[in-house]
Amino acid sequence: MTLKSISILNYRNIEAAELVFSDKFNCFIGNNGEGKTNLLDALYFLSFCHSMFTNVDSQMIMHEKDFFMLNGKYDTGDDISVGMKRGHKKNFKRNGKAYRKLSEHIGLIPLICVSPDDVSIISGGSEERRRFLDIIISQYDNAYIDYLNRYNKALQQRNALLKQISEAPEQANVDMSLMEVWEEEMASNGEEIYLRRKDFVERFIPVFNNIYKEISGEHEEVSLRYQSHCQRGPLLEVIQRDRNKDLIMGYSLHGIHKDDLEMLIGGFPMKREASQGQTKTYVISLKLAQFDFLKENPLLLLDDVFDKLDSHRVENIIKIVSGKNFGQIFITDTNREHLDKILSKGHFDYKLFNVEGGHFV
């Protein structure tokens, strides 16, 4: 899949832009804060219906403006647009027709983004690693988001009951059969989510390992390990087994909302053992490995990814993404030297944009 062109109005610091893209490499050069990442974020918004930085859509509207608009045209013939006025909901359309629900759009325009913030997959809490799993799986499994939404709704309702009881147990008048309804809803949807996460991780690990070796030159041994309460037995039993502890705490201690993906180097936690270069290599390998699982050859966004990497690893990344397995690529950098290296490595089509103050030339 390729993005042929994009039209932007009042999106973050981009007041107006009309850009036509190369089918292969699109490179954006400029200092920090000029708008390079905002352009990539607009592409991300058209794929996922929200910014990569926040779910508060109104924050995308340029200061002192009343609305923003994005429009992207793809080689599939799809025309995707989104607009939002202050104080109103966003309006998301495909070929001029509004979606009944936004989850119908997820997966239509597969996209992978690698950015400096992705180190939080390793350094952050388990919610970052669950989000990593959810973003990938939801792009190729249409039922996944529905299972996840139903699970999260049931979890929210059960937690509300638990909190009500824990805060005033002597006054709580809770129908425990209602608690059981939400527990059953959590368990049935949670097990479907677990099976999909487990299947994905098992298939993902060898692809990830191969890419890491290719970038690092086989200098380190890395691994992934999926952890879930579903591995302890039927999820309904696991949830109900410690209900008394949940009543004391006021929230649910067990379920797939506690799943984690352990990330290791040399058998030890990445968070503790890895250098900055190893951490960045690990994250880039995680992201590039997604290409084997997404249909329609996803768009690849590389946002300032070469910092903290030695020249050998940079060269190996360039070699990988220049290959026939990867399609349209958008790269930002403050260092022209990195992009000159990329462009000198092959005889492929490219466009180079200089970015300053939200303007592209």
Side-chain angles (χ1 to χ4, degrees), residues 55-175:
N55 288 323
V56 183
D57 299 319
S58 60
Q59 292 182 7
M60 300 303 104
I61 302 175
M62 191 176 194
H63 294 313
E64 300 180 358
K65 299 293 183 178
D66 296 325
F67 71 96
F68 80 79
M69 288 187 66
L70 304 174
N71 177 254
K73 292 178 170 57
Y74 299 82
D75 66 340
T76 56
D78 282 312
D79 185 311
I80 306 300
S81 63
V82 57
M84 182 182 184
K85 293 181 180 179
R86 290 195 187 277
H88 295 77
K89 289 185 178 180
K90 63 191 168 195
N91 188 9
F92 217 99
K93 295 180 179 181
R94 177 187 181 189
N95 300 325
K97 183 178 179 181
Y99 281 99
R100 185 172 57 89
K101 55 180 182 177
L102 292 180
S103 60
E104 296 173 352
H105 179 71
I106 306 302
L108 178 71
I109 305 167
L111 178 148
I112 295 167
C113 180
V114 189
S115 76
D117 291 340
D118 289 329
V119 296
S120 63
I121 297 173
I122 295 172
S123 61
S126 61
E127 67 276 6
E128 296 288 345
R129 292 176 284 281
R130 288 192 298 275
R131 182 173 179 266
F132 170 75
L133 294 174
D134 294 342
I135 287 175
I136 305 170
I137 300 171
S138 64
Q139 290 190 77
Y140 68 79
D141 186 335
N142 293 334
Y144 187 78
I145 291 181
D146 290 333
Y147 286 123
L148 201 59
N149 287 339
R150 288 196 291 267
Y151 179 89
N152 287 332
K153 179 182 177 181
L155 173 64
Q156 185 179 33
Q157 295 295 329
R158 184 177 189 264
N159 282 348
L161 290 175
L162 292 170
K163 184 178 180 182
Q164 181 182 343
I165 296 170
S166 67
E167 289 182 347
E170 69 284 350
Q171 299 177 14
N173 183 20
V174 176
D175 181 359

Side-chain angles (χ1 to χ4, degrees), residues 150-361:
R150 288 196 291 267
Y151 179 89
N152 287 332
K153 179 182 177 181
L155 173 64
Q156 185 179 33
Q157 295 295 329
R158 184 177 189 264
N159 282 348
L161 290 175
L162 292 170
K163 184 178 180 182
Q164 181 182 343
I165 296 170
S166 67
E167 289 182 347
E170 69 284 350
Q171 299 177 14
N173 183 20
V174 176
D175 181 359
M176 294 307 290
S177 64
L178 183 58
M179 179 81 73
E180 292 174 359
V181 168
W182 295 125
E183 289 170 346
E184 290 170 1
E185 184 77 358
M186 284 176 62
S188 62
N189 289 287
E191 288 184 341
E192 292 288 349
I193 293 165
Y194 165 71
L195 291 174
R196 284 161 169 77
R197 287 177 177 174
K198 178 175 178 289
D199 172 71
F200 166 73
V201 173
E202 288 174 351
R203 293 186 292 125
F204 184 80
I205 287 173
V207 179
F208 161 72
N209 283 338
N210 286 337
I211 291 177
Y212 190 96
K213 287 178 182 177
E214 197 170 344
I215 295 175
S216 68
E218 302 191 29
H219 289 158
E220 302 105 22
E221 188 70 30
V222 294
S223 56
L224 291 164
R225 195 154 53 210
Y226 179 39
Q227 299 174 327
S228 176
H229 290 146
C230 285
Q231 294 159 344
R232 300 179 183 180
L235 187 55
L236 182 60
E237 293 181 12
V238 173
I239 292 171
Q240 293 181 339
R241 189 182 302 150
D242 286 321
R243 187 192 285 166
N244 288 336
K245 290 182 181 178
D246 293 353
L247 288 168
I248 294 170
M249 298 300 296
Y251 55 87
S252 302
L253 294 168
H254 295 88
I256 58 94
H257 61 288
K258 295 293 185 179
D259 284 4
D260 203 352
L261 193 59
E262 193 175 12
M263 300 182 170
L264 307 169
I265 184 167
F268 297 98
M270 283 288 300
K271 189 183 297 188
R272 191 180 73 213
E273 297 291 326
S275 67
Q276 286 183 313
Q278 289 170 331
T279 297
K280 199 149 194 178
T281 303
Y282 201 101
V283 169
I284 292 171
S285 300
L286 287 172
K287 292 303 190 81
L288 297 185
Q290 296 177 45
F291 267 75
D292 274 31
F293 298 87
L294 301 184
K295 61 185 179 181
E296 299 293 342
N297 209 359
L299 309 182
L300 176 62
L301 315 184
L302 300 176
D303 188 19
D304 193 23
V305 299
F306 299 121
D307 187 39
K308 310 299 183 187
L309 293 175
D310 59 53
S311 59
H312 179 70
R313 296 190 185 218
V314 170
E315 187 172 333
N316 287 338
I317 293 169
I318 293 168
K319 182 180 177 182
I320 291 171
V321 301
S322 300
K324 62 182 180 180
N325 292 334
F326 289 81
Q328 190 179 28
I329 301 168
F330 298 82
I331 303 177
T332 72
D333 210 310
T334 57
N335 188 336
R336 176 66 185 263
E337 181 182 348
H338 288 150
L339 295 184
D340 284 340
K341 283 184 179 180
I342 292 173
L343 301 177
S344 68
K345 288 295 178 180
H347 302 286
F348 40 70
D349 184 56
Y350 71 89
K351 282 196 172 183
L352 184 64
F353 300 86
N354 288 294
V355 187
E356 185 174 350
H359 298 283
F360 301 81
V361 294

